[in-house]
Amino acid sequence: DADVTQTPRNRITKTGKRIMLECSQTKGHDRMYWYRQDPGLGLRLIYYSFDVKDINKGEISDGYSVSRQAQAKFSLSLESAIPNQTALYFCATSDSLAGGPGTDTQYFGPGTRLTVL
Amino acid sequence: GQNIDQPTEMTATEGAIVQINCTYQTSGFNGLFWYQQHAGEAPTFLSYNVLDGLEEKGRFSSFLSRSKGYSYLLLKELQMKDSASYLCAVRASGGSYIPTFGRGTSLIVHP
């Protein structure tokens, strides 16, 4: 079974619709992240959470919101989707307590391909 | 802020060796990661460097020079399945402590 899962895997929606992307993890990690990936632009951080009660904006948070419902669940919402939010969205987790080399190595979910028409 | 630079695309021949470079500028360096990403799939962790020198893991090696703001990923005995994007990510000390990703290098391996 996958350690980091995302639902849905693909979604096509219309401008103005509210969309929620969900992420669940069984790795027991405390830190979770949402990224978007656009061709030629790499991975850009939208929001991150270091604990259930901790939510922080990333590089490109405008137009997005998040909810950390539990240690294992982190959802991303687009309140009113627009076409330039068409992208591949990744959830990731990391373990702040791993220690040693590579602490905070990120583990990514399979991605959600979102198309906003 | 951080500035991370990688070549956009590289091509190489099966069985050969390829070196993918990453240069960075950051205030307070605290580690560099390499990830591999096949088209349409999730990035997966390859290597981590925080001290100068070479880290070897089978066919893949990663090198870091902190004074030069430079890293490379070396892939030996290339296989067709190595065709993927390779992402360099740099972590700065202070702030969120979250790595910033470069735009990635698309490697095409041909027979």
Side-chain angles (χ1 to χ4, degrees), chain A residues 29-49:
Chain A
H29 289 172
D30 51 345
R31 300 183 171 187
M32 298 187 74
Y33 312 81
W34 276 104
Y35 289 90
R36 66 176 280 176
Q37 187 173 43
D38 300 272
L41 292 180
L43 285 163
R44 292 184 292 166
L45 184 65
I46 306 173
Y47 269 95
Y48 63 98
S49 169

Side-chain angles (χ1 to χ4, degrees), chain A residues 50-114:
Chain A
F50 282 175
D51 200 348
V52 174
K53 297 181 180 180
D54 176 74
I55 300 290
N56 303 280
K57 293 182 178 181
E59 179 187 352
I60 52 164
S61 59
D62 287 350
Y64 302 94
S65 63
V66 291
S67 174
R68 184 83 183 264
Q69 301 95 321
Q71 188 195 37
K73 296 183 182 296
F74 193 37
S75 60
L76 176 72
S77 293
L78 288 67
E79 296 302 326
S80 180
I82 56 177
N84 78 359
Q85 290 177 314
T86 293
L88 185 55
Y89 289 84
F90 286 104
C91 173
T93 73
S94 68
D95 183 3
S96 66
L97 301 179
T103 294
D104 252 359
T105 297
Q106 291 173 303
Y107 296 86
F108 288 82
T112 295
R113 187 168 296 280
L114 177 66

Side-chain angles (χ1 to χ4, degrees), chain B residues 26-30 91-95 97:
Chain B
T26 186
S27 52
F29 174 82
N30 201 286
R91 182 168 61 198
S93 57
Y97 207 63

Side-chain angles (χ1 to χ4, degrees), chain B residues 26-72:
Chain B
T26 186
S27 52
F29 174 82
N30 201 286
L32 185 145
F33 297 81
W34 283 97
Y35 286 82
Q36 180 190 60
Q37 184 180 23
H38 287 99
E41 297 184 8
T44 56
F45 171 75
L46 285 178
S47 68
Y48 172 76
N49 295 71
V50 67
L51 299 176
D52 291 351
L54 188 68
E55 295 279 343
E56 297 188 73
K57 273 187 181 182
R59 294 190 299 116
F60 291 7
S61 303
S62 57
F63 172 83
L64 175 68
S65 169
R66 290 172 295 171
S67 62
K68 295 182 179 178
Y70 168 68
S71 174
Y72 67 73

Side-chain angles (χ1 to χ4, degrees), chain A residues 17-34:
Chain A
K17 294 291 188 181
R18 184 178 188 274
I19 297 297
M20 179 180 286
L21 309 183
E22 299 190 6
C23 177
S24 293
Q25 54 119 344
T26 58
K27 299 186 76 66
H29 289 172
D30 51 345
R31 300 183 171 187
M32 298 187 74
Y33 312 81
W34 276 104

